[in-house]
Amino acid sequence: MTADLLAGLTAVLQWEVLLFLAVGVVLGAVFGSLPGLTATMGVAVLTPLTFWVSAEQGLAMLLGIYCGAIPAGGIPAILINVPGTPASIATSWDGYALSQKGQAGLALGINALLSAVGQLTSIFFLAVAAFPIASFALRFGPAEYFGLALFGISLMAGVSGERVIKGMLAGMLGLGIATVGLDPMTAYPRYTFGQSEFLDGISFVPVMIGLFGLAEVLIQISDRWGKLDQAPSKLGRIWPAWMEWKRMLPSTFTGAGIGTFVGAVPAAGGDIGSVIAWEQARRLSRNKEAFGKGSLEGLAASCSSCNGAIGGAMTTMLTLGIPGDAVSAVLIGALLIHGIQPGPLLFRDHRAFVFSIVFLMAFASVVMMVVGLLGAKPLARALRIPSPWLWAGIVMFGAIGSYALNNAVVDVWAMFVAGVVGFLLRKADVPLGPLVLGLILGPMMESNLRRALILSRGDWLGTLTSSSIVVFFMVATILSLLLPLLKKRRAG
Amino acid sequence: MLSRMLGQGTKRRFAVQALAAAVLLFAVSCSHGDGPYPSKELKLIVQASPGGISDTVSRFMGSLIEKDLGVPVVCENKPGASGALAFSYVARRAPDGYTLGHASIEIAIVRTLGYADVGPDNMGLICLVSKTPAVLVVREDAPWNSFGGFIAAAGKQRGGLILAHSGTGSIWHFNALLMEQAADIRVTYVPYGGTSRSLASLLGGHVDAVIAGTGEAIANVKAGRLKALAVLDESRSQLYPETPTSYELGYDFGAPAWSGFFAPAGVPDAILERLEKAFRKGFASSEWARLCRERGMEAVFMGRKEFREFALQEAAFFGREIPRLLTLER
Amino acid sequence: MSRPESRVRSRTDLVVGGLFLVLGVYLTVSATALPADSGGLPGAGFFPRIIGLVTVLLSSALLLKALRGSSASAFVLSHGRVIGGVVGLTFVYLLLWGTGFFTLRTFVFLVLFLRFLVQSWRASLTVAAVLTAAIAAAFQYGLRVSLE
């Protein structure tokens, strides 16, 4: 064990490997922080380049991109309310509010520090408990996925703030958009209007770029036009005070834990994990009202959970050979090129290599933390450039990035329509958080409910109470729907 | 003569230089248009997302033929509608040999599924480079130790066993339907979005069996977590030397997935021949053999004539069988 | 709270509720064309129907609430002309997607975009040039995306 640990460490403690790692982290930071470029895209584009270098060097670069992109996605979320990657949607809720209060520095600092905490926690889990986590992930059958999706959808009310009915309607819109395309079970085309471009449905990432990129630009024009000469908001201090650390601690670690487990479950990633962690932190907090208005606990939960998902996804990928999210799916391909077959045997036959991966990820998260802390000031200063320049950049990168995903013009139009509709919805005070939940969770809920019903052979109730995980999610769903009502009654 | 002219006045020298530059430019632009093929970058359209097996095959082959053709080969992913979007995109390009596509087995299927009116008959097929057969896997603690045992159990309780595959209309789904038909059994299907998800549900004990590509299941088979009951092909797989094939066991079915390359219809045969030569050279390299071994593909080569015949046969087979198999499921 | 203001507020929710009601009815009606079940289990039309019905219910609730005047949202579209211009300009740019001269087209779009947002000619030209170069470097040369 110790010998493997040392062998794994020495394999990565070479200057070429560390150089590749640093290059990867910086590239990842670029991919993550530009709306329109995602972590998946970065890893996918650079995978072919790693054909020609050693496994450690190639992986150093790819893992660097992965570990750099997710924290970097929080930077534009905090500074301009435009999440750089889908995983940082929840980061924008409190992060942007903080930076509007003149605490952009603190928000960027927390993002850098707690992203690293989230990553390191999940990497620690990967190193010591890979197989228990993997077997937990495997227990997710159709009924469990349905429970998870249902629970996620029950959070729609929670992330809607005061506007519960409109939030739920936005959620329904998300669920509706998600039904476009071939039916996941019978491959029957739905709402495709005979166009083969719609058979695979409306791509999620362009819609997200539209809702949070283009729509945000329009909102800012509407709110700030004619007032652009106002002094730019202050940066403030970067390092959190001791009291703030103490306040953030519980939500950081529950966030990292939730992120790790949700990330480990195949087909659920940091985007879902961070919304769940944010909502859990809100429920457990003594200061619920501050959530969404610049709560440090909320920011801590979202930063640590979307990064915790990295270690979780890697755990499932390495132990089972099954990707935990979109990035790890591409990473499997990269590993196979180097003759490394992820799966149970990897931990028996190539233990040193597994430790190499653990060390590479740990180094990458520390490097990214330093990059994030050092970059906070210059990045915040970059905001002093005139807003119209920034808006032009967001619209441009959003449009081209949407196209670059699948080289499909239909995705660009999806971005545009989502942007205009998202702007109008936000102007009408309809929250967009539930819409995103509906988009992500709709397909998961529908296909797994129908799978579960096939497996149930008529015994529907039995299936939905068959395992402790399902029962847990069902109870949690009912509680999350009932508790607000009970509280209202008690208050009224 | 040129040197004597250069000796005279600056104005004249400038004019001559400009003329020379123009001639040079013209020559260069001519060589772009009419020079020996290929004279500029080739585009290779991949019908799937980055990172998958089609993408790996295309990028790898692309980099191998680059060496022989002497021009860059740039891969572009256009996923969607089982590949129909990419196939019809390539079909619409100019037939100049500068836009190629990766031909997965879906090229012989999408017309039958109604996704796009394209098929091997209106393509300039170049070559086939690999095949991936299907394998039937169960958990290691499953009560069946052989394909016969599985078939017997599935025959006894019709629809009692649950089989997961990578999606309705996918090639692994059709392999399962062919199995039902050949062995006269009925199983209950649970479609998943992709093979890795179906394997996860098998490992987790939620379904009884999975039909997947040989390469996708191998990690867990080697680790002893899954048992391979049969490879659904005519000849044995290098990855599963111990596992019998469906044909050996007396069930004549099995539709392996395959990978090839194609150009739009109407590309001159000389250019197709040049491309086939480049691909053949890439195919013969040790790198290609290594990739096939590591990704669980069988390295098989067919030239353009043979591939055309084969693909037309496949299209005819699926065009005939799919409508029938899908009614069988109901 | 003054009277006219509260009327504006409930009108916003009336419009939102009305539009979602239309969406819900559309989803419910169009879902009837999809098979409701397959082999005794929910089919392709099952989920769209549920989503449609729930949308109808929720939007009716919103409409009722708005009619009773107890809503708290106001749709104030300030600077509508600027927003309309930006949306229109982007729309035209996207409409010309794939017609060739990508770099030139993008540069012209960016200059017009920035000029429209009252940036000086110098700033518009410089920023447009820098952004166009960045896009070309990142996507055309970095990611090898073919943009025409």
Side-chain angles (χ1 to χ4, degrees):
Chain A
M1 180 80 179
T2 330
D4 289 329
L5 203 75
L6 278 176
L9 186 60
T10 40
V12 298
L13 276 183
Q14 291 167 7
W15 70 267
E16 293 106 328
V17 175
L18 295 177
L19 188 70
F20 272 97
L21 185 84
V23 170
V25 170
V26 172
L27 278 175
V30 173
F31 270 92
S33 57
L34 290 175
L37 296 176
T38 61
T40 318
M41 222 191 260
V43 174
V45 166
L46 286 159
T47 295
L49 290 186
T50 63
F51 289 175
W52 319 113
V53 296
S54 81
E56 280 84 6
Q57 291 167 354
L59 267 183
M61 184 154 80
L62 298 180
L63 291 173
I65 294 172
Y66 195 7
C67 294
I70 304 297
I75 296 171
I78 289 165
L79 291 176
I80 51 176
N81 205 13
V82 179
T85 63
S88 43
I89 289 171
T91 304
S92 66
W93 296 343
D94 285 308
Y96 184 61
L98 275 171
S99 78
Q100 280 192 315
K101 284 195 218 160
Q103 291 183 299
L106 185 62
L108 288 174
I110 289 173
N111 180 49
L113 291 163
L114 297 188
S115 293
V117 171
Q119 289 187 5
L120 291 170
T121 311
S122 69
I123 295 164
F124 176 75
F125 277 131
L126 163 60
V128 300
F131 280 97
I133 294 175
S135 68
F136 169 78
L138 280 185
R139 286 177 61 194
F140 268 71
E144 285 80 5
Y145 274 113
F146 172 67
L148 172 67
L150 198 66
F151 173 63
I153 283 177
S154 76
L155 303 183
M156 275 178 180
V159 299
S160 302
E162 327 269 280
R163 307 141 295 178
V164 176
I165 297 182
K166 285 203 255 181
M168 300 294 275
L169 279 171
M172 289 300 135
L173 181 61
L175 289 172
I177 296 171
T179 58
V180 174
L182 291 179
D183 164 37
M185 303 300 285
T186 59
Y188 193 96
R190 299 192 291 203
Y191 306 110
T192 56
F193 306 104
Q195 300 295 310
S196 46
E197 281 84 358
F198 290 133
L199 284 178
D200 284 357
I202 311 273
S203 309
F204 167 62
V205 173
V207 171
M208 194 212 71
I209 294 173
L211 288 179
F212 297 100
L214 181 58
E216 179 64 28
V217 167
L218 298 177
I219 287 278
Q220 290 195 11
I221 293 176
S222 161
D223 291 354
R224 294 180 43 222
W225 190 248
K227 294 178 265 181
L228 290 178
D229 297 330
Q230 280 174 1
S233 53
K234 278 179 299 185
L235 175 63
R237 71 200 150 84
I238 291 172
W239 201 265
W242 175 240
M243 277 307 292
E244 289 163 346
W245 274 112
K246 245 168 70 182
R247 192 141 43 95
M248 290 187 297
L249 202 67
S251 60
T252 303
F253 283 103
T254 44
I258 291 174
T260 308
F261 280 97
V262 175
V265 173
D271 39 12
I272 304 177
S274 63
V275 174
I276 292 181
W278 184 86
E279 178 60 15
Q280 283 327 85
R282 190 181 72 92
R283 293 226 172 111
L284 298 174
S285 169
R286 256 184 257 154
N287 200 356
K288 291 185 186 54
E289 289 71 34
F291 273 69
K293 295 171 190 137
S295 159
L296 295 185
E297 295 156 86
L299 183 63
S302 61
C303 291
S304 61
S305 56
C306 68
N307 283 285
I310 296 180
M314 287 295 290
T315 306
T316 314
M317 189 271 259
L318 290 171
T319 48
L320 305 169
I322 285 160
D325 67 356
V327 182
S328 52
V330 183
L331 279 172
I332 287 189
L335 282 170
L336 288 169
I337 293 286
H338 287 286
I340 298 151
Q341 174 85 60
L345 287 187
L346 190 68
F347 281 76
R348 198 190 72 198
D349 301 342
H350 303 279
R351 218 210 274 272
F353 185 77
V354 173
F355 283 120
S356 289
I357 290 179
V358 167
F359 282 118
L360 283 175
M361 290 174 68
F363 291 163
S365 56
V366 174
V367 172
M368 186 56 208
M369 181 180 80
V370 174
V371 169
L373 286 174
L374 292 179
K377 254 184 196 160
L379 278 169
R381 208 166 290 142
L383 272 194
R384 299 209 179 139
I385 66 170
S387 299
W389 303 8
L390 213 57
W391 298 336
I394 295 170
V395 170
M396 209 59 233
F397 267 87
I400 316 276
S402 301
Y403 178 75
L405 271 180
N406 296 322
N407 294 301
V409 186
V410 66
D411 286 351
V412 186
W413 287 110
M415 187 282 296
F416 180 75
V417 172
V420 175
V421 171
F423 166 71
L424 293 174
L425 287 177
R426 274 181 66 185
K427 272 283 151 189
D429 208 22
V430 178
L432 295 186
L435 202 163
V436 176
L437 275 178
L439 269 177
I440 305 174
L441 295 173
M444 189 198 273
M445 178 161 81
E446 178 184 11
S447 61
N448 284 298
L449 173 63
R450 289 168 63 187
R451 276 182 205 118
L453 291 178
I454 295 177
L455 294 178
S456 74
R457 303 193 173 283
D459 181 14
W460 296 18
L461 200 67
T463 307
L464 295 182
T465 52
S466 57
S467 82
S468 49
I469 299 176
V470 187
V471 173
F472 168 80
F473 280 128
M474 291 298 157
V475 172
T477 305
I478 292 167
L479 282 182
S480 81
L481 290 175
L482 287 185
L483 277 183
L485 293 178
L486 289 178
K487 243 173 232 164
K488 209 178 253 176
R489 179 161 290 179
R490 211 183 301 156
Chain B
M1 189 185 120
L2 199 65
S3 61
R4 211 174 61 209
M5 274 161 75
L6 281 174
Q8 298 162 10
T10 358
K11 216 174 179 181
R12 189 123 179 228
R13 193 184 305 160
F14 180 75
V16 170
Q17 276 175 349
L19 190 74
V23 168
L24 200 73
L25 251 171
F26 183 69
V28 168
S29 64
C30 271
S31 80
H32 260 264
D34 307 325
Y37 175 88
S39 58
K40 60 171 187 183
E41 160 181 304
L42 258 65
K43 224 195 263 176
L44 178 50
I45 309 295
V46 187
Q47 91 295 354
S49 298
I53 187 76
S54 293
D55 181 64
T56 311
V57 164
S58 306
R59 285 179 196 277
F60 212 84
M61 256 306 168
S63 68
L64 290 174
I65 62 166
E66 239 175 33
K67 289 179 199 157
D68 186 55
L69 294 171
V71 293
V73 176
V74 180
C75 289
E76 196 175 305
N77 301 81
K78 272 195 193 292
S82 291
L85 295 185
F87 301 145
S88 39
Y89 173 80
V90 175
R92 286 195 309 266
R93 296 279 104 179
D96 54 6
Y98 289 101
T99 309
L100 313 179
H102 175 258
S104 59
I105 187 168
E106 282 78 17
I107 208 169
I109 295 179
V110 288
R111 182 183 280 148
T112 311
L113 294 179
Y115 295 168
D117 189 22
V118 287
D121 51 320
N122 51 10
M123 299 288 179
L125 298 176
I126 303 167
C127 63
L128 180 138
V129 293
S130 73
K131 267 188 182 185
T132 308
V135 61
L136 174 73
V137 285
V138 296
R139 263 187 319 285
E140 51 85 29
D141 59 1
W144 322 289
N145 288 312
S146 69
F147 186 69
F150 179 83
I151 293 296
K156 213 177 290 161
Q157 34 170 331
R158 293 181 82 77
L161 296 185
I162 294 164
L163 189 139
H165 57 73
S166 57
T168 301
S170 70
I171 184 64
W172 308 139
H173 179 209
F174 292 133
N175 270 286
L177 290 168
L178 288 169
M179 176 176 81
E180 275 192 323
Q181 188 189 10
D184 189 27
I185 55 167
R186 291 288 286 123
V187 294
T188 300
Y189 289 111
V190 180
Y192 277 87
T195 298
S196 56
R197 306 263 319 274
S198 63
L199 284 172
S201 79
L202 177 64
L203 286 168
H206 308 286
V207 298
D208 296 313
V210 162
I211 286 191
T214 45
E216 293 156 318
I218 190 70
N220 284 292
V221 170
K222 272 193 187 157
R225 291 191 163 201
L226 297 180
K227 285 188 289 200
L229 297 184
V231 171
L232 312 182
D233 198 5
E234 286 175 53
S235 51
R236 290 226 171 181
S237 157
Q238 292 169 4
L239 280 179
Y240 300 79
E242 319 273 290
T243 309
T245 68
S246 50
Y247 280 81
E248 275 174 47
L249 295 165
Y251 301 97
D252 292 352
F253 74 98
W258 37 262
S259 253
F261 295 92
F262 71 100
V267 172
D269 196 57
I271 289 181
L272 288 182
E273 192 184 343
R274 176 74 191 87
L275 287 166
E276 186 191 318
K277 204 187 107 203
F279 277 111
R280 194 185 288 275
K281 219 165 163 185
F283 176 84
S285 69
S286 59
E287 285 106 321
W288 179 251
R290 200 191 75 182
L291 183 82
C292 284
R293 207 166 49 240
E294 276 154 9
R295 298 300 303 252
M297 300 178 289
E298 319 273 331
V300 180
F301 193 88
M302 286 185 197
R304 59 191 192 285
K305 296 214 174 67
E306 204 186 341
F307 183 29
R308 188 174 177 78
E309 218 165 273
F310 172 73
L312 286 174
Q313 261 173 28
E314 290 273 284
F317 173 76
F318 286 114
R320 196 178 60 238
E321 292 293 312
I322 287 174
R324 220 165 50 78
L325 288 171
L326 288 180
T327 48
L328 196 89
E329 191 175 353
R330 297 224 177 89
Chain C
M1 202 184 288
S2 64
R3 271 213 138 200
E5 198 181 332
S6 84
R7 216 177 295 146
V8 170
R9 286 184 169 181
S10 38
R11 210 188 294 147
T12 305
D13 280 7
L14 274 180
V15 173
V16 172
L19 286 176
F20 271 104
L21 188 63
V22 171
L23 177 78
V25 170
Y26 168 73
L27 275 175
T28 319
V29 171
S30 58
T32 53
L34 301 167
D37 71 304
S38 81
L41 292 167
F46 174 70
F47 238 65
R49 248 169 258 206
I50 291 183
I51 296 169
L53 285 175
V54 176
T55 309
V56 169
L57 283 178
L58 284 169
S59 53
S60 310
L62 186 67
L63 280 175
L64 276 179
K65 235 178 120 186
L67 284 174
R68 276 195 275 146
S70 64
S71 98
S73 313
F75 187 90
V76 185
L77 186 65
S78 34
H79 311 296
R81 207 176 285 171
V82 186
I83 289 163
V86 166
V87 171
L89 207 56
T90 314
F91 180 77
V92 171
Y93 174 72
L94 297 185
L95 216 53
L96 294 173
W97 196 280
T99 51
F101 304 106
F102 170 78
T103 316
L104 180 70
R105 224 174 51 236
T106 303
F107 178 73
V108 171
F109 163 70
L110 286 170
V111 171
L112 291 176
F113 187 100
L114 290 159
R115 281 294 299 161
F116 187 72
L117 298 174
V118 295
Q119 303 299 294
S120 70
W121 271 111
R122 219 180 87 185
S124 300
L125 289 170
T126 325
V127 174
V130 169
L131 263 176
T132 310
I135 290 280
F139 288 99
Q140 289 184 295
Y141 298 98
L143 298 180
R144 309 302 315 252
V145 178
S146 55
L147 296 162
E148 284 148 1

